[in-house]
Amino acid sequence: MKICVIGTGYVGLTTGVCLAESGFDVTCIDKDVNKIRQLNEGEVPFHEPGLDSLLKKVMVGKKIKFSNKIESAIRSNDIIFIAVGTPSMEDGSADLAAVFEVAKSIKKNLNAFKILVIKSTVPVGTNKKVAAILAGRGGKSKTRFAVISNPEFLRQGKALADYKNPHRIVIGGTNQRAIDVIMKVYAGCHCPLIVTSPENAEIIKYASNSFLAMKISYINEVANICERYNADIREVAAGMGLDPRIGDRFLEAGIGFGGSCFPKDMKALVHFADLVDYDFKLLKAALAVNERQKLLPVEKLKKNLGSLRGRTIGLLGLSFKADTDDIREASSIALINCLLGEKVKVRVTDPRAEKNMKRLFPEINYFDSPYEMADGCDGLILITEWPEYSALDFKRIKPKLKKPLLIDGRNLFDPKTMKKLGFIYEGIGRN
Ligand code: NAD
């Protein structure tokens, strides 16, 4: 079977490479010429563990091609996955311009029956809108295509493992012939396959992401209460998580969630709820809690240092989580903005995300080594739980600091050990 994947970001490239590994002939399309050039040279344009070597493997087997030529790719493939970005607009709604642009290209190149598979995260009703674009005026082309909603649930940093071992595959559609074909594409996956309506499929994605994000905001609020009552969130969360109705995942308190999905998808769900006059209060609160949580380290700095003007503060980590170079909506961005507003001299280090952050903040100081960064700092804030940071030699770091202050935004370190080492340690919700 020949498959075309449009959009070669975290989702599209992972999908394309994994489909090629399963034996499909895959053409990956992106409008970004640089990305296509890099991919044709066998280089992954972003950091995703394991994707580099799998890409090289499928390229050797000639199972995958990369191109900018969307028209010919549409004409020569009958299954087309859409994995383009759907970023937030000012009003919180998802920007569907790229999805609709691709739909229009498909409409122009409908030379045979095509199955269009929407992998991008899109608001409820988008499947129908895309179908209307393809059907054209008077619905003339109605029998020449089917649109399937097939949301993706992979996590950046674990994209390959998640893609290959999903917890469920959701196929939303109304055309049985197309549903059967897509079920065959996923025949190798050992997980529940949910065949449902496009509307259900679209909502499943938003409701899942928003629920997870809400769980994080919830535990962060409990952590803030723990701090005030001399309790420890790690022990509280462990006690909660043993209840199977709650589960132990997503109960790690910290300085808020970020990334290209949770905040954007929550805002889009709030927006499409608004469109039907529904005020989604719970999600609005979870978003507000998250914004407050991102700036918690500033309060902790002030508690320990007084005025921040002229202080030098070092940030350990910039990406929104470990194992990715993605900084979209990362807590580090809100923090850097706030610290610069307080006239702090900001120093940063990150194993992967420096290049992306330099585009946003060229004016701050970047360091390859956390040890060099620490030299002369009034305090450090751990932002990203990179495994490298768990192994830091704090005996070496301490004498370099003007004040041995460590704000652990991800509860990565043991408070007792850090205190024994002579640090003023501030975790999130730890006693
Ligand atoms: P991304 O920004 O990494 O990649 C999107 C790609 O689409 C880019 O390479 C861009 O150049 C390309 N593109 C944009 N418009 C195009 C067009 N008209 N024609 C061809 N290519 C075009 O995005 P991503 O993180 O891979 O996310 C893609 C979609 O999947 C989004 O809707 C996102 O919400 C969803 N999603 C993302 C994740 C994740 O962890 N990143 C997980 C599940 C779902």
Side-chain angles (χ1 to χ4, degrees), residues 9-11 30-31 35 86 121 152 154 156 261 264 328:
Y10 295 91
V11 169
D30 205 289
K31 66 173 186 183
K35 265 193 181 171
T86 49
T121 303
E152 179 52 57
L154 63 76
Q156 282 169 231
C261 292
K264 150 178 106 64
R328 287 178 282 186

Side-chain angles (χ1 to χ4, degrees), residues 286-300:
L287 277 163
V289 167
N290 195 49
E291 288 313 304
R292 186 180 62 190
Q293 201 71 9
K294 285 178 181 177
L295 299 182
L296 203 57
V298 179
E299 274 175 40
K300 289 177 183 285

Side-chain angles (χ1 to χ4, degrees), residues 5-14 29-33 35 39 45-46 48 67-68 70 82-87 94-103 105 118-122 151-157 159 205-206 209 259-262 264-265 320-321 326 328:
V5 181
I6 303 179
T8 60
Y10 295 91
V11 169
L13 188 60
T14 304
I29 298 292
D30 205 289
K31 66 173 186 183
D32 183 332
V33 272
K35 265 193 181 171
L39 287 165
F46 46 85
E48 183 57 50
S67 165
N68 299 113
I70 187 163
I82 302 187
V84 296
T86 49
D95 183 350
L96 296 176
V99 173
F100 293 153
E101 191 185 320
V102 172
S105 300
I118 306 179
K119 260 218 164 295
S120 299
T121 303
V122 292
E152 179 52 57
F153 299 94
L154 63 76
R155 294 163 296 171
Q156 282 169 231
K205 174 65 192 175
Y206 281 100
N209 267 7
S260 67
C261 292
F262 283 0
K264 150 178 106 64
D265 294 349
F320 83 92
K321 64 174 179 179
D326 199 344
R328 287 178 282 186

Side-chain angles (χ1 to χ4, degrees), residues 9 40 47 61 68 72 74 87 140 166 175 182 231 320 328 335 338 356 360 389 420:
N40 274 321
H47 176 67
N68 299 113
S72 55
I74 292 167
K140 273 190 275 174
N175 180 314
I182 300 309
F320 83 92
R328 287 178 282 186
L335 255 175
C338 184
N356 286 334
L360 275 189
Y389 296 156
K420 259 194 207 147

Side-chain angles (χ1 to χ4, degrees), residues 154-369:
L154 63 76
R155 294 163 296 171
Q156 282 169 231
K158 300 204 164 41
L160 285 181
D162 285 353
Y163 188 90
K164 291 178 182 186
N165 309 293
H167 293 112
R168 77 295 210 189
I169 288 168
V170 178
I171 300 178
T174 51
N175 180 314
Q176 197 55 47
R177 175 179 163 197
I179 291 170
D180 290 344
V181 172
I182 300 309
M183 282 174 79
K184 274 194 199 132
V185 170
Y186 288 118
C189 291
H190 305 287
C191 70
L193 244 161
I194 301 166
V195 176
T196 186
S197 72
E199 290 78 9
N200 290 346
E202 289 164 336
I203 294 182
I204 286 171
K205 174 65 192 175
Y206 281 100
S208 303
N209 267 7
S210 299
F211 183 80
L212 292 173
M214 228 169 51
K215 208 172 166 191
I216 299 173
S217 275
Y218 179 77
I219 203 67
N220 282 341
E221 292 228 275
V222 177
N224 296 342
I225 297 299
C226 283
E227 262 179 35
R228 287 157 174 82
Y229 280 99
N230 202 26
D232 190 310
I233 191 63
R234 295 287 286 259
E235 291 184 32
V236 170
M240 288 166 64
L242 287 171
D243 184 334
R245 293 169 304 174
I246 297 173
D248 58 2
R249 312 285 303 277
F250 281 75
L251 288 183
E252 280 125 24
I255 52 169
F257 56 80
S260 67
C261 292
F262 283 0
K264 150 178 106 64
D265 294 349
M266 292 167 90
K267 286 177 203 160
L269 179 42
V270 166
H271 184 267
F272 67 73
D274 260 350
L275 290 180
V276 285
D277 292 327
Y278 191 82
D279 183 13
F280 208 142
K281 290 187 177 153
L282 214 48
L283 284 194
K284 285 182 182 168
L287 277 163
V289 167
N290 195 49
E291 288 313 304
R292 186 180 62 190
Q293 201 71 9
K294 285 178 181 177
L295 299 182
L296 203 57
V298 179
E299 274 175 40
K300 289 177 183 285
L301 285 176
K302 285 184 177 166
K303 188 177 95 186
N304 287 284
L305 298 172
S307 166
L308 298 185
R309 179 178 277 271
R311 300 278 192 185
T312 303
I313 302 295
L315 307 192
L316 290 161
L318 295 167
S319 56
F320 83 92
K321 64 174 179 179
D323 284 329
T324 183
D325 55 358
D326 199 344
I327 57 160
R328 287 178 282 186
E329 302 267 350
S331 301
S332 56
I333 297 177
L335 255 175
I336 294 171
N337 272 323
C338 184
L339 292 175
L340 291 176
E342 299 274 350
K343 306 286 178 242
V344 167
K345 291 176 204 144
V346 179
R347 296 181 177 185
V348 299
T349 184
D350 186 285
R352 298 275 176 189
E354 182 179 318
K355 197 169 128 202
N356 286 334
M357 200 54 106
K358 268 186 178 160
R359 288 190 206 119
L360 275 189
F361 295 106
E363 73 273 36
I364 60 177
N365 295 306
Y366 293 81
F367 290 81
D368 290 337
S369 150

